[in-house]
């Protein structure tokens, strides 16, 4: 399977009160064509920032200081904005805050059909196809209405003609999904694509994403707090903590984790088996960007931590089908 995206030694920094602080530290990951990769971790661990690095949409005060983001042999860190726009045509992005991502002055349907028009301009369709614009707009509307129906809207015509402020947060999330998938992108970045949806809408939304993956071999990066989604829909998972990757492996082994942090995430998830029981919580909190810890960033919260964990970030260790940055992984009590 061909490699579509590869991130190598990526470090991103932010300037705060005259200090340059790392918010992503030596990130390495890859996505093959047609692969679904899951990215998990607590809020503030760098998941969304990683997606923004790929899409070239970083805030003005955040800069990539080291590393490469290679998409189809293009290094997105070193290309100009014109070249990046051409690449961005092939990347769909479902933003976490979908209401803020939508234009409040344009109706929802128009925001989706606009993406179809931009795609046609990119493909440079012949003059005859472009001449009957009225017919083309009608066809676009039919396509959008069908997609809105598939995403669980009972009255897609009403949604098509609604402004974002007239829709709920979950509805806006589904509109954002429609915008991201309507042109069948080569790479889809889903930042909490189902977080604000009810169970039925969540299933329909994820089914559409999965269908696009199967039909067009679209590669997916799904960012989610819900480990069950990552286990069910993804072939591999990556766990991030405090701007670093701490574990990666096959999704089938997600509930048998190697890193103590991943173990706490798994134990803290709700399930039918735990109904009526007290859920495990993770003591402490995610370190601030100001902390800039030299050792394992999870050490202050880890029951297994030793002095070396607090002093030096652990090397990458391969165990079975997984990889973990930890001196004392869960399947071994001895120091590696």
């Amino acid at each position: 399977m061909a490699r579509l995206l590869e991130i190598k030694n990526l470090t991103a920094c932010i300037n705060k009160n005259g200090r340059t602080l790392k918010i992503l530290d030596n990130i390495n990951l890859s996505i093959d064509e047609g692969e679904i990769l899951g990215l998990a971790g607590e809020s503030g661990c760098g998941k969304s920032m990683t997606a923004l690095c790929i899409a070239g949409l970083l805030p003005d005060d955040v800069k990539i200081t080291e590393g490469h983001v290679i998409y189809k042999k293009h290094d997105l860190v070193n290309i100009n904005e014109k070249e990046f726009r051409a690449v961005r045509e092939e990347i769909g992005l479902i933003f976490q805050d979908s209401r803020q991502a939508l234009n409040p002055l344009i109706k929802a349907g128009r925001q989706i059909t606009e993406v179809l028009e931009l795609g046609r301009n990119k493909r440079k369709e012949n003059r005859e196809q472009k001449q009957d614009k009225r017919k083309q707009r009608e066809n676009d509307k039919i396509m959008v209405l069908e997609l809105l129906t598939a995403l669980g809207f009972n009255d897609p015509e009403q949604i098509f003609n609604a402004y974002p402020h007239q829709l709920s947060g979950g509805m806006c999330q589904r509109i954002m999904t429609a915008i991201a998938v309507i042109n069948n992108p080569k790479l889809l970045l889903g930042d909490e694509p189902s977080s604000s949806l009810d169970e039925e809408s969540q299933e329909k939304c994820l089914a559409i994403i999965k269908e696009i993956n199967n039909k067009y071999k679209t590669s997916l990066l799904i960012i989610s707090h819900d480990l069950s989604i990552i286990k069910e829909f993804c072939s591999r998972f990556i766990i991030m903590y405090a701007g670093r990757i701490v574990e990666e492996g096959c999704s089938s082994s997600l509930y048998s984790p190697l890193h103590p942090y991943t173990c706490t995430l798994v134990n803290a998830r709700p399930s039918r088996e735990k109904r009526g029981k007290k859920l495990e919580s993770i003591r402490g909190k995610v370190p601030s960007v100001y902390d800039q810890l030299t050792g394992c960033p999870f050490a202050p919260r880890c029951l297994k931590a030793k002095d070396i964990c607090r002093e030096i970030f652990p090397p990458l260790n391969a165990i079975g089908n997984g990889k973990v940055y930890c001196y004392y992984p869960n399947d071994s009590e001895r120091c590696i």
Side-chain angles (χ1 to χ4, degrees):
M1 195 176 294
R3 182 66 46 82
L4 181 70
L5 176 78
E6 186 168 15
I7 296 178
K8 297 181 178 179
N9 307 318
L10 182 69
T11 297
C13 296
I14 186 170
N15 288 317
K16 289 281 189 180
N17 300 325
R19 296 175 61 189
T20 300
L21 307 171
K22 289 183 180 179
I23 54 176
L24 293 178
D25 194 352
N26 196 35
I27 301 299
N28 290 275
L29 65 83
S30 63
I31 305 176
D32 292 335
E33 290 182 357
E35 183 183 20
I36 306 179
L37 176 66
L39 187 58
E42 291 173 275
S43 297
C45 286
K47 308 182 302 299
S48 298
M49 198 60 67
T50 300
L52 293 177
C53 284
I54 297 171
L57 298 174
L58 289 172
D60 292 338
D61 56 352
V62 177
K63 304 294 181 185
I64 294 175
T65 56
E66 294 180 42
H68 307 275
V69 179
I70 300 172
Y71 174 82
K72 284 185 173 181
K73 300 181 180 180
H74 298 283
D75 188 351
L76 304 185
V77 175
N78 296 315
I79 63 176
N80 59 43
E81 181 57 29
K82 183 179 179 180
E83 293 172 316
F84 212 136
R85 281 199 298 269
V87 172
R88 209 176 278 130
E89 297 282 347
E90 300 182 2
I91 300 176
L93 181 58
I94 302 174
F95 291 94
Q96 185 173 6
D97 190 350
S98 53
R99 190 182 293 280
Q100 293 295 323
L102 296 174
N103 190 324
L105 303 178
I106 301 177
K107 292 179 179 180
R110 177 58 188 150
Q111 296 194 52
I112 305 172
T113 57
E114 187 178 44
V115 178
L116 284 171
E117 292 172 7
L118 290 172
R120 274 196 299 276
N121 292 336
K122 178 66 178 177
R123 292 190 295 270
K124 298 179 181 178
E125 294 180 353
N126 62 52
R127 186 178 301 174
E128 184 178 332
Q129 287 176 302
K130 288 184 178 180
Q131 278 179 344
D132 195 348
K133 292 184 178 180
R134 181 177 178 181
K135 184 177 180 180
Q136 187 64 68
R137 283 196 295 268
E138 291 175 355
N139 291 338
D140 287 351
K141 183 176 180 179
I142 291 171
M143 186 184 302
V144 171
L145 291 177
E146 289 175 350
L147 179 55
L148 293 177
T149 300
L151 286 169
F153 289 109
N154 295 324
D155 190 350
E157 183 78 38
Q158 180 182 354
I159 300 301
F160 188 94
N161 292 304
Y163 289 96
H165 73 271
Q166 297 172 316
L167 305 175
S168 69
M171 289 176 174
C172 288
Q173 186 77 9
R174 283 180 279 171
I175 296 298
M176 192 73 244
T177 300
I179 290 172
V181 305
I182 193 72
N183 262 337
N184 306 318
K186 298 292 184 183
L187 175 63
L188 179 60
L189 309 174
D191 193 353
E192 301 286 354
S194 59
S195 61
S196 58
L197 305 178
D198 58 63
E199 186 174 354
E200 182 181 357
S201 298
Q202 182 183 98
E203 289 177 359
K204 290 181 178 180
C205 214
L206 291 173
I208 289 290
I209 291 174
K210 184 66 175 178
E211 180 183 350
I212 290 172
N213 168 255
N214 291 331
K215 188 174 182 179
Y216 300 103
K217 302 301 179 186
T218 298
S219 300
L220 302 174
L221 175 64
I222 293 182
I223 299 171
S224 180
H225 288 91
D226 191 338
L227 298 183
S228 63
I229 290 176
I230 289 179
K231 190 175 191 303
E232 180 180 356
F233 285 90
C234 304
S235 58
R236 291 188 300 123
F237 73 90
I238 286 178
I239 303 296
M240 288 188 70
Y241 186 78
R244 283 184 176 269
I245 290 175
V246 296
E247 183 176 352
E248 60 181 283
C250 299
S251 293
S252 57
S253 62
L254 177 57
Y255 290 171
S256 301
L258 298 171
H259 199 282
Y261 175 60
T262 314
C263 186
T264 60
L265 292 179
V266 171
N267 290 338
R269 68 185 179 87
S271 66
R272 288 189 178 92
E273 295 77 18
K274 297 177 183 178
R275 181 170 293 177
K277 299 179 181 178
K278 185 177 180 180
L279 293 176
E280 182 175 324
S281 61
I282 310 175
R283 64 173 192 163
K285 61 180 181 179
V286 177
S288 163
V289 67
Y290 289 102
D291 292 336
Q292 300 291 292
L293 304 174
T294 57
C296 174
F298 188 60
R301 306 171 76 183
C302 182
L303 297 176
K304 287 186 174 184
K306 311 294 183 186
D307 287 343
I308 191 172
C309 302
R310 300 180 181 90
E311 296 167 0
I312 304 172
F313 187 79
L316 178 64
N317 297 286
I319 301 175
N321 293 323
K323 298 178 181 179
V324 61
Y325 291 89
C326 184
Y327 290 108
Y328 303 95
N330 287 329
D331 75 332
S332 174
E333 292 300 326
R334 65 183 179 83
C335 180
I336 294 178

